[in-house]
Amino acid sequence: MGVVVGREAELAALLACVDRLAESGPATATVVAPAGMGKSALAVAFRDALVGRELTVLTARPLIAERRLSFSALTELLGPVPHEEYDALPGPQRAAIRSALLLDDGDGADPRAVAAAVRGVLHARASVSPVVVLVDDAQWLDDASAGALGQSLSRLAGAPILVVAWARPGGRAFDEWLPDWPNTEIGLEPLPISVLFHVVREHLDVQLTRSELRAVAEASGGNPLHALEFARHRALGPGASFEGLLSDRLLALSRPTRSALLAAALCAAPTASRLARALGRNVDQLLDDLEPAVAGRLIRVGRSIGFLHPLYLEAAVDSAAPEERVAMHAALAPVEPLEEARVRHRALADDAPDEPLAVELTDASRKAWARAAWLSATELLELAVERSEDPAARDRRALELAQRLVTNGDPRDAEEILHRLRADPAGPSYWPATVELCKLYTLDERYDDARAVARELDAAELCPEDYASAVVHAEVDMLLGRMDQVAQSYAEAHRRLAEVPDRPGLSRLRAEVLVPYAYSRYQQAEPFQHLLDEAIEHDRREPGERMLYRPVMLEAVRQMTSGRFAESRANFEAILRDTAESGDDLSLPVIYSYLASLEVRACRFDEGRRRAEEGLAVASASMPAFLPMLTNVLVSADAHVGDAARALERSEEVRELLGPLDDPSQEVTWAVGRLAALAAAGRTEETYELSVRVRELVAMLGWRHPADPMIHPNVLDVLVETSRLNEAEEYLADVRTRAQQIDLHAVVAELARVGVALAAARGDLEGAAAAVPPMLAGLDDLPPGVEVQPVERARAWWTAGKVYRRARMRRQATDALQTAVALFEEIGCAGRAEQARADLERAGGRRNGQVLTPTELGVARAAAGGRRNTEIAEELFLSVKTVESLLTRCYRKLGIRSRVELAAALERVTTED
């Protein structure tokens, strides 16, 4: 049982956090105090107090030497978890976590997949009993473990998990990885003299007089570790310091003991056998040499050799001479089990240029970076630059180091490196460094500096790779305000790269150019599929790092906007699954947004809402910028189903989320949702006024794609409803032309409805009625796999019914309006169903549920007569899909379930005259 003298109240506060878990949900606690104040003793006592409870307790105490090692803390934390539990994880997660924990060979520890795996393990554990995660000395948590814990814990908001972190104040931020849960802050105050008396008596065989005890309390400032050191030496006079006393104690040890302590302090995995090999001793000799340090309560010896306090480890290193540390690095290099540690020791053992070693350091750095061990990766690459013999290779490594530093949030050091690389305008690294400097200035919001560098890039004669990087990565055109030239620059970058012979990395750069190039043409309603196909081929050769920016994402968007809903759904769900399994939480809100939009287009409104809500939950934790877009999907769903009040309310939520609408892209995000909400509410004049602004914004942003269901249908409808017919006709012609240019067959079929409505609004009822049959036929005369939006199908039948009614074609009007009502009801558009039903009553149609329209009756009689759907479709000039839909409505109206019951049911059915 851990002893906690003088910290009983703090221990009780931590135990109370555990007791509240079941009722209050997940929480965090932080214990912050200077070194030596008893954090670790409190951590041990807290852990011991949890023994016997129905809990999962996971503990890690990272060391300063382990900050550079990928997933070292996570390995310790998950040590008690049986390896069999990883078998239940999805394949990518299972491979990643086993690689991260060094259970398998390979470089499969993708940080996002590791985070997803940790989330899965913790969720599974928490579903059985509460989980307590303890991290002592959290300021030394390695970056890879911090990233995995941060991403996983933020996605476990409903689980009974308590995370407790102990750390020193100041220095490196220790709590960035902690989730935003209710937190209990605990500070450790200096201990009073009465408690220090018990601390000294508990740990030392020393009898102090009252005056000596007062002197210890005064010299230590109530710090228990310092008090023990002062009491041990009875060094109570002026000039005595904790650091000096500790150094003197180490220097008083024998040289073999000090060298063994230095080895233990510098070794990443200090076991007795490993240290013995490094020092050229046998294990018994090593343990004998360490005995004085054990007796002096500096270290403990078990499966590994660990210092009882981090200050002791630091003192063991600081008390050694520089040449002793260099020699120890050389001795440890052959015995370390991890490649990162081995190559680091070798680099620190000799500062002479060594190109083969620089190559190894670079390779180890890239592996560490891939596993999110930012600190280790950066240090290894810095060493690679220092050990480089080849000047060109050194500059390439320095450029890579600058890129890493920018990503890792250290732009000042990166800027210094980039300026150094730009010292020689004729050097091979000058222009790549200039591109990176432009990116750095933009990320650092130093836009004047960024534009100055962009002008330099714009005026230069660049090689194809540098030009492509300037266009895609430095975004020169955008910085210089040339939005209309972006697509041209992508085209030029693509042309130049096509002339470059293949080499490693070129396919990825080509894909990075092709995807935004294709997307810009997509937005401009210009043919882009050939570019997308080429990007897909390059991505197969050298896949991009994040799914969000790879061509498969744009392919799924293309399928959605072209009416290939089934294909798009399959692709988006695969993308979502792969992204979730890889742990790329930052991409998830975007994917959820597209998937939710797809389901709303397909009129699967409940599914669309579910996907949007899932996306909102993820975005709240990782990417709040996507909350407005996801909420807009809910606005669209509400507008479609006729819940205008809720649509208007949500559009106000979008407005609040966006804040000041001082950017066209922000304003249009709000405006298109508001437009749909106003149209659903029947507020026609407000809808028109806003539609004018929407068109201005869309033109300003260069969005010419004709398949946005929240813009073009609402704009066209309000223009017709407000009798702005010339304006509507011009707008319709423009949208139809753009849809035809990029083969959007479903959009062209949907737009035919507006043409019919326009003819009727101009009083050409004969022409409008004549246009109805081809309009309806066009809804099904589409390429295989393409379908119109179900709501547009229903609106087409509704328009047909209204035109027929005005043309006094009563039977056709009743048939069309009954079909429209049935279609609206089938997809859940209650508001429009009621409006269509009102038109049906004005047309004189009956509302008896068993009345079949003539078309329905013809299909039902043919089916009852034994004809197959394909035969019925050919005989009645309908599509097979329409026949299936009509039969479904017949079954519902007649209260039957199959063709077997049709004949009997038709004997008692009534029909229109």
Side-chain angles (χ1 to χ4, degrees):
M1 175 68 70
V3 178
V4 56
V5 178
R7 302 300 185 196
E8 294 81 4
E10 291 84 352
L11 176 59
L14 290 172
L15 292 173
C17 293
V18 178
D19 295 335
R20 290 194 298 268
L21 266 181
E23 296 179 1
S24 60
T28 63
T30 51
V31 183
V32 182
M37 290 296 289
K39 297 185 302 296
S40 296
L42 177 60
V44 171
F46 178 53
R47 184 193 61 205
D48 289 348
L50 299 179
V51 174
R53 295 198 182 197
E54 292 294 326
L55 300 168
T56 291
V57 181
L58 304 174
T59 305
R61 189 186 183 188
L63 302 175
I64 188 170
E66 295 174 341
R67 280 185 60 191
R68 303 175 181 87
L69 300 178
S70 311
F71 301 112
S72 57
L74 190 66
T75 301
E76 182 182 4
L77 198 73
L78 296 182
V81 177
H83 300 166
E84 293 75 16
E85 292 190 23
Y86 305 137
D87 295 339
L89 297 170
Q93 295 179 25
R94 181 172 60 253
I97 193 67
R98 291 187 64 86
S99 178
L101 303 184
L102 304 180
L103 301 176
D104 290 337
D105 294 331
D107 300 320
D110 181 282
R112 296 165 298 179
V114 173
V118 173
R119 182 169 66 241
V121 170
L122 293 178
H123 182 271
R125 287 268 166 162
S127 64
V128 177
S129 63
V131 174
V132 179
V133 176
L134 313 178
V135 182
D136 193 7
D137 283 320
Q139 73 275 2
W140 291 324
L141 190 67
D142 65 277
D143 292 313
S145 296
L149 288 171
Q151 291 184 51
S152 60
L153 291 169
S154 65
R155 299 286 305 281
L156 292 166
I161 299 176
L162 173 66
V163 183
V164 188
W166 284 263
R168 300 180 190 179
R172 179 177 185 247
F174 74 90
D175 57 354
E176 293 178 350
W177 56 274
L178 289 176
D180 187 19
W181 297 343
N183 182 57
T184 299
E185 294 183 8
I186 298 175
L188 301 184
E189 298 297 326
L191 295 179
I193 188 171
S194 58
V195 177
L196 287 176
F197 168 76
H198 292 288
V199 170
V200 172
R201 189 175 66 175
E202 179 73 30
H203 291 85
L204 297 178
D205 185 18
V206 172
Q207 296 295 324
L208 298 180
T209 66
R210 186 177 298 276
S211 60
E212 287 175 331
L213 185 59
R214 279 198 298 268
V216 165
E218 183 177 345
S220 67
N223 184 305
L225 186 68
H226 291 196
L228 288 171
E229 204 63 33
F230 282 114
R232 177 181 284 110
H233 292 273
R234 295 182 181 269
L236 309 174
S241 70
F242 170 77
E243 292 78 9
L245 292 173
L246 186 55
S247 178
D248 290 343
R249 184 147 70 103
L250 287 168
L251 291 173
L253 297 170
S254 68
R255 182 176 295 277
T257 299
R258 291 203 310 274
S259 65
L261 289 176
L262 178 60
L266 295 179
C267 186
T271 64
S273 60
R274 192 166 291 131
L275 297 185
R277 291 201 308 276
L279 295 170
R281 310 172 194 173
N282 61 47
V283 172
D284 290 338
Q285 287 175 323
L286 177 78
L287 294 178
D288 288 342
D289 291 336
L290 288 174
E291 180 56 34
V294 174
R297 302 178 70 88
L298 292 172
I299 63 169
R300 63 176 179 273
V301 176
R303 294 176 60 187
S304 64
I305 296 171
F307 287 82
L308 290 178
H309 198 279
L311 290 178
Y312 299 158
L313 182 149
E314 295 171 29
V317 176
D318 293 342
S319 63
E323 59 272 17
E324 291 178 311
R325 291 197 290 267
V326 168
M328 191 57 69
H329 281 300
L332 288 169
V335 303
E336 288 280 18
L338 300 178
E339 179 189 2
E340 289 173 35
R342 288 195 299 272
V343 72
R344 178 177 174 273
H345 281 308
R346 288 170 56 202
L348 293 174
D350 187 353
D351 59 2
D354 183 339
E355 187 61 29
L357 177 58
V359 171
E360 289 186 58
L361 286 163
T362 303
D363 185 55
S365 171
R366 289 171 180 167
K367 291 177 180 178
W369 186 266
R371 295 193 296 273
W374 318 129
L375 187 67
S376 178
T378 301
E379 185 195 20
L380 290 168
L381 195 53
E382 286 173 342
L383 290 169
V385 173
E386 293 172 6
R387 302 297 182 269
S388 297
E389 286 184 283
D390 178 8
R394 181 181 59 245
D395 286 354
R396 287 195 299 271
R397 291 171 186 136
L399 181 65
E400 185 175 346
L401 176 60
Q403 295 169 332
R404 298 269 184 83
L405 290 169
V406 170
T407 303
N408 208 23
D410 194 355
R412 295 294 172 262
D413 286 348
E415 185 176 356
E416 183 179 335
I417 293 171
L418 293 172
H419 280 308
R420 197 160 59 241
L421 291 171
R422 279 167 45 87
D424 179 10
S429 297
Y430 183 87
W431 291 116
T434 303
V435 170
E436 292 303 319
L437 189 64
C438 190
K439 283 172 55 181
L440 184 153
Y441 287 150
T442 301
L443 291 170
D444 211 25
E445 298 184 356
R446 295 158 60 182
Y447 295 115
D448 289 341
D449 291 335
R451 280 187 284 271
V453 177
R455 283 190 287 271
E456 183 183 358
L457 287 166
D458 191 50
E461 291 293 331
L462 301 175
C463 73
E465 292 98 324
D466 291 341
Y467 179 84
S469 294
V471 170
V472 176
H473 298 146
E475 300 180 332
V476 167
D477 288 313
M478 295 184 188
L479 281 170
L480 300 181
R482 301 186 311 222
M483 298 298 295
D484 57 332
Q485 294 186 31
V486 172
Q488 297 174 21
S489 297
Y490 286 142
E492 178 63 15
H494 176 232
R495 185 191 67 77
R496 294 190 187 189
L497 288 177
E499 300 173 354
V500 179
D502 282 339
R503 61 168 179 77
L506 192 60
S507 281
R508 179 176 294 187
L509 181 58
R510 284 169 171 161
E512 289 173 347
V513 169
L514 283 163
V515 170
Y517 181 23
Y519 186 74
S520 69
R521 291 180 64 88
Y522 162 87
Q523 288 284 19
Q524 293 292 320
E526 297 174 352
F528 67 93
Q529 186 62 47
H530 61 294
L531 300 173
L532 182 54
D533 292 340
E534 187 179 347
I536 291 171
E537 182 58 34
H538 285 301
D539 187 69
R540 285 197 187 102
R541 295 177 192 165
E542 293 182 331
E545 292 183 1
R546 295 184 64 189
M547 189 70 72
L548 189 60
Y549 303 114
R550 292 173 62 185
V552 65
M553 188 74 178
L554 182 54
E555 173 67 6
V557 173
R558 181 197 69 80
Q559 292 166 338
M560 175 179 70
T561 55
S562 62
R564 296 184 177 277
F565 299 143
E567 295 174 41
S568 179
R569 182 179 296 112
N571 272 336
F572 274 130
E573 287 178 346
I575 292 169
L576 179 65
R577 182 173 57 254
D578 292 344
T579 303
E581 289 185 1
S582 73
D584 184 9
D585 287 0
L586 295 180
S587 296
L588 287 175
V590 186
I591 300 166
Y592 275 119
S593 176
Y594 277 123
L595 189 50
S597 298
L598 165 67
E599 298 300 3
V600 171
R601 286 174 185 256
C603 296
R604 300 183 357 154
F605 300 117
D606 288 343
E607 185 66 11
R609 287 194 190 93
R610 183 177 73 84
R611 291 301 195 182
E613 294 290 354
E614 289 174 344
L616 286 168
V618 177
S620 298
S622 60
M623 288 189 72
F626 279 91
L627 293 174
M629 181 183 295
L630 285 155
T631 306
N632 247 6
V633 178
L634 296 175
V635 172
S636 178
D638 292 334
H640 274 308
V641 302
D643 192 349
R646 187 70 181 106
L648 290 167
E649 182 182 337
R650 287 195 204 270
S651 72
E652 288 300 327
E653 293 175 17
V654 174
R655 178 70 176 78
E656 292 175 9
L657 287 167
L658 288 169
L661 299 180
D662 51 7
D663 180 84
S665 61
Q666 287 183 316
E667 185 178 354
V668 78
T669 298
W670 168 77
V672 295
R674 186 70 176 179
L675 186 71
L678 289 171
R683 291 156 60 170
T684 307
E685 282 305 318
E686 290 179 72
T687 305
Y688 172 72
E689 291 172 6
L690 187 57
S691 76
V692 174
R693 180 57 180 162
V694 167
R695 282 180 279 166
E696 291 174 354
L697 291 167
V698 168
M700 193 182 307
L701 293 166
W703 293 356
R704 291 177 50 78
H705 197 277
D708 193 317
M710 295 182 73
I711 299 179
H712 306 303
N714 288 320
V715 169
L716 286 166
D717 286 342
V718 76
L719 289 175
V720 174
E721 289 170 14
T722 58
S723 298
R724 293 173 169 87
L725 304 184
N726 290 337
E727 197 175 346
E729 193 159 0
E730 182 179 343
Y731 190 86
L732 173 63
D734 179 52
V735 175
R736 182 191 289 124
T737 298
R738 284 185 273 135
Q740 290 169 336
Q741 285 175 343
I742 52 177
D743 297 326
L744 292 180
H745 304 285
V747 173
V748 173
E750 292 166 358
L751 290 171
R753 170 184 67 83
V754 183
V756 171
L758 261 174
R762 292 188 182 281
D764 183 11
L765 295 177
E766 183 178 349
V772 165
M775 172 193 72
L776 296 176
L779 299 175
D780 296 306
D781 186 17
L782 297 170
V786 176
E787 55 187 301
V788 297
Q789 297 175 81
V791 70
E792 288 301 323
R793 179 183 296 277
R795 294 178 79 183
W797 280 96
W798 188 15
T799 298
K802 289 188 284 188
V803 167
Y804 282 144
R805 182 173 67 83
R806 289 185 57 196
R808 301 184 183 280
M809 300 168 68
R810 182 170 175 270
R811 183 179 61 81
Q812 291 91 334
T814 300
D815 190 355
L817 289 169
Q818 284 186 335
T819 300
V821 170
L823 288 173
F824 280 132
E825 288 178 340
E826 187 176 317
I827 59 179
C829 293
R832 287 187 172 124
E834 193 57 38
Q835 292 174 307
R837 192 175 289 109
D839 286 333
L840 176 61
E841 291 183 341
R842 283 191 288 272
R846 286 174 285 177
R847 300 180 64 175
N848 184 342
Q850 283 202 336
V851 173
L852 301 183
T853 67
T855 304
E856 290 170 346
L857 185 60
V859 169
R861 284 174 173 164
R867 292 182 180 83
R868 292 176 297 180
N869 289 355
T870 52
E871 295 171 332
I872 299 171
E874 184 176 351
E875 182 178 327
L876 299 180
F877 303 101
L878 300 171
S879 70
V880 175
K881 186 177 294 185
T882 299
V883 170
E884 292 170 350
S885 178
L886 290 169
L887 276 174
T888 299
R889 294 204 298 274
C890 290
Y891 295 163
R892 185 175 62 248
K893 287 183 177 183
L894 299 173
I896 61 177
R897 296 184 178 181
S898 67
R899 293 181 184 232
V900 177
E901 304 171 84
L902 259 179
L906 287 174
E907 293 180 1
R908 55 179 188 274
V909 73
T910 59
T911 65
E912 295 270 338
D913 293 333

